Amino acid sequence: MSSGAHPVLAAAADAASAAYRDVRSKHSREELAETVFDGADGTPSMFVDVVVEQAIIEAATSLGVNVLSEERGWVDVGSAVTLVVDPVDGSANAAAGVPLSCFSAALAVDGRFTEALTSWLHTDERWWASSTSSAYRTSGRREINGAAVSLLRPHARNQAAWGRVAGAAARVRVLGCSTLDAVFVATGASDAFVDAGSDTHRLMDLAAAAVLVPASGGAMVDAFGRPFEFDPDLTRRWSGVVAATPELAETLCELISGGIDPAAEE
Amino acid sequence: MSSGAHPVLAAAADAASAAYRDVRSKHSREELAETVFDGADGTPSMFVDVVVEQAIIEAATSLGVNVLSEERGWVDVGSAVTLVVDPVDGSANAAAGVPLSCFSAALAVDGRFTEALTSWLHTDERWWASSTSSAYRTSGRREINGAAVSLLRPHARNQAAWGRVAGAAARVRVLGCSTLDAVFVATGASDAFVDAGSDTHRLMDLAAAAVLVPASGGAMVDAFGRPFEFDPDLTRRWSGVVAATPELAETLCELISGGIDPAAEE
């Protein structure tokens, strides 16, 4: 991590990592996956999420930083700085024992994202960037032909769009951890990551990507052109398109919204 | 690993791990992914595969064990014991920098699989079992409802079957690393892993699963009922169905071959 990084990011990642290890050592898969209540984002909160979130909130607020998180929502300590955080992205993986889950957070200063950190909970590998500086470069790929694309799983409501993207891509992955997928785009390991129009993405699924990927030469947009912005209303949804270049992002948006015949791409 | 394990498995895994780290530190993504020649299995061999395979062949043959591997094919030193090995399962992931690739091997003694080891190359975590003894237990799930299922990516030739499986499953993953997917089934982290009828699986994609998963309470079969067996003809293909229980395997086979209406499952 850069010496210019805000200390709350490392402190929150450390707290998440310790809480994750602790809760996994003490509880069964069934206990970790148990739904505790419906979170501020309107989706069910698993026990593992709630425990890790609590540790993060304590770490961040003790440094005088607000927290906006999926279960508890907005914890406002009167700061201009807010930690927008997904305590355990890929909760289902984490609870089951599939080692693909991340702590992921972005800092919003007066509503603008300034820096972000994603940490892979299984290995504690960390990726940090500010909106003006990144140590990573995307693959630079502009064309869908030959592209490696990660997707959220298909749903009945977006099956056709999902099939268009998967059919046009050279490689397809579904990892169940959006923030790790975005890291792979930022570092050039993968060419793109999309929610193919299912409107599943919440603010904290995309906040780190919105910093890491553009700073590394890529693009992060919504498939339907809606602005992605800081908003404490956690019921808002997007279909994030995270890509190595703006050109590839545009092609993916067209595939998702139906503007490209995938057969013509092959 | 058990003290009863054949020493060639650990020796080959150590050799693979060292060669993998070395080749990744010295070569670019483009060099790692370069196609060197078409392997004995009829698919293109990447540079990373060839380098790691060479290290494994040296380690195994120096212990007097035959090797059957995807690039070089059958290296017969006259032993009754053969190491059936995928040097780098998930080569595309490995070359690109997506940390989901494994060394995976099974021992065949006089043509019968007796023990297997899969090692995650990114972390060197290892999973071993013999055909009669495993430290792992599958999830025990019998029903497709609620199941977490990993799949190979969809192809044009099996799109309908892929959609039936994905539509019936509660969670869907595509990791691009069959042997790691099989480990997750053996350890209960995931309920099943399938090639949904694309006939992509080769002997070494499934050899370790054929030991690890049944020994842990699950099942490993071909979607179309063909026997899975040791065969030095590496052009043979299967559609592997790896599941937590024989009942779940049977349901998945029916979904893949078209015998179940997925709508009736929901």
Side-chain angles (χ1 to χ4, degrees):
Chain A
M1 278 184 63
S2 159
S3 58
H6 192 295
V8 76
L9 285 173
D14 290 344
S17 181
Y20 173 80
R21 280 196 307 270
D22 186 62
V23 75
R24 279 187 42 96
S25 71
K26 291 183 182 154
H27 294 275
S28 69
R29 287 171 176 156
E30 292 69 28
E31 289 168 341
L32 294 172
E34 206 182 321
T35 299
V36 184
F37 51 73
D38 270 3
D41 64 353
T43 62
S45 297
M46 288 186 190
F47 180 67
V48 62
D49 293 318
V50 173
V51 171
V52 176
E53 181 186 67
Q54 181 58 32
I56 293 166
I57 290 172
E58 285 168 17
T61 56
S62 77
L63 291 171
V65 171
N66 309 326
V67 176
L68 184 60
S69 184
E70 54 182 329
E71 326 304 346
R72 285 268 295 278
W74 177 251
V75 181
D76 188 354
V77 296
S79 175
V81 182
T82 298
L83 186 78
V84 176
V85 62
D86 197 339
V88 184
D89 179 38
S91 312
N93 285 344
V98 173
L100 298 173
S101 62
C102 287
F103 159 89
S104 183
L107 275 194
V109 180
D110 293 327
R112 204 175 55 82
F113 292 116
T114 57
E115 50 181 301
L117 174 70
T118 295
S119 165
W120 185 5
L121 289 164
H122 188 65
T123 64
D124 214 21
E125 284 162 275
R126 298 181 182 193
W127 297 269
W128 175 89
S130 80
S131 55
T132 56
S133 158
S134 167
Y136 318 112
R137 295 311 292 168
T138 71
S139 69
R141 185 181 292 278
R142 290 185 171 83
E143 311 286 334
I144 186 74
N145 293 326
V149 180
S150 278
L151 300 99
L152 295 188
R153 72 161 293 177
H155 295 272
R157 64 185 181 277
N158 73 326
Q159 217 149 14
W162 198 97
R164 286 194 296 272
V165 173
R171 299 192 181 280
V172 171
R173 295 185 187 98
V174 178
L175 304 184
C177 184
S178 293
T179 60
L180 192 59
D181 272 314
V183 161
F184 293 152
V185 177
T187 60
S190 184
D191 298 309
F193 164 58
V194 304
D195 175 347
S198 75
D199 277 4
T200 297
H201 276 146
R202 304 152 308 159
L203 182 72
M204 39 276 300
D205 293 318
L206 297 173
V211 175
L212 285 166
V213 177
S216 306
M220 207 295 283
V221 297
D222 173 74
F224 304 111
R226 296 162 296 195
F228 179 76
E229 58 200 2
F230 177 84
D231 189 336
D233 173 6
L234 297 183
T235 63
R236 282 183 70 176
R237 294 290 183 276
W238 289 268
S239 289
V241 172
V242 180
T245 58
E247 293 86 348
L248 181 56
E250 197 184 323
T251 300
L252 287 161
C253 290
E254 288 170 2
L255 277 168
I256 293 168
S257 56
I260 284 189
D261 174 5
E265 282 287 304
E266 275 164 12
Chain B
M1 278 183 62
S2 159
S3 56
H6 192 295
V8 75
L9 284 173
D14 290 345
S17 181
Y20 173 79
R21 279 196 308 271
D22 185 61
V23 73
R24 280 186 41 94
S25 71
K26 292 183 181 153
H27 294 274
S28 69
R29 286 170 178 157
E30 291 70 27
E31 289 168 342
L32 294 172
E34 206 182 320
T35 299
V36 183
F37 51 75
D38 271 3
D41 64 352
T43 63
S45 298
M46 288 186 192
F47 180 67
V48 63
D49 294 318
V50 174
V51 171
V52 176
E53 181 187 70
Q54 181 57 31
I56 292 166
I57 290 173
E58 286 168 17
T61 55
S62 76
L63 291 171
V65 171
N66 310 326
V67 177
L68 183 60
S69 185
E70 54 182 327
E71 325 304 347
R72 285 267 295 276
W74 175 252
V75 180
D76 188 355
V77 296
S79 175
V81 183
T82 298
L83 186 78
V84 176
V85 61
D86 197 339
V88 184
D89 179 38
S91 312
N93 285 344
V98 172
L100 298 173
S101 62
C102 287
F103 159 89
S104 184
L107 275 194
V109 180
D110 292 326
R112 206 175 53 81
F113 291 116
T114 56
E115 50 180 303
L117 173 69
T118 295
S119 164
W120 186 4
L121 289 165
H122 187 66
T123 64
D124 214 20
E125 284 163 275
R126 298 180 183 194
W127 296 269
W128 175 89
S130 79
S131 55
T132 55
S133 157
S134 168
Y136 318 112
R137 296 308 293 167
T138 71
S139 69
R141 184 182 293 279
R142 290 185 171 82
E143 311 286 333
I144 185 75
N145 293 324
V149 180
S150 278
L151 301 98
L152 296 188
R153 71 159 296 179
H155 295 272
R157 63 186 181 275
N158 72 327
Q159 215 150 16
W162 198 97
R164 286 195 296 271
V165 174
R171 299 192 182 280
V172 172
R173 295 184 189 98
V174 178
L175 304 186
C177 183
S178 293
T179 61
L180 191 59
D181 272 314
V183 161
F184 293 152
V185 176
T187 60
S190 184
D191 299 309
F193 164 59
V194 304
D195 174 348
S198 75
D199 278 3
T200 297
H201 276 145
R202 303 154 308 161
L203 181 72
M204 38 278 298
D205 294 319
L206 297 173
V211 175
L212 286 165
V213 176
S216 306
M220 207 294 285
V221 297
D222 172 74
F224 304 110
R226 296 163 294 196
F228 179 76
E229 59 200 3
F230 178 82
D231 189 337
D233 173 5
L234 297 182
T235 62
R236 281 183 71 175
R237 293 291 183 275
W238 289 268
S239 289
V241 172
V242 180
T245 59
E247 294 86 347
L248 182 55
E250 196 183 326
T251 300
L252 286 161
C253 290
E254 288 170 1
L255 278 168
I256 293 167
S257 56
I260 284 187
D261 174 5
E265 281 286 302
E266 277 165 9

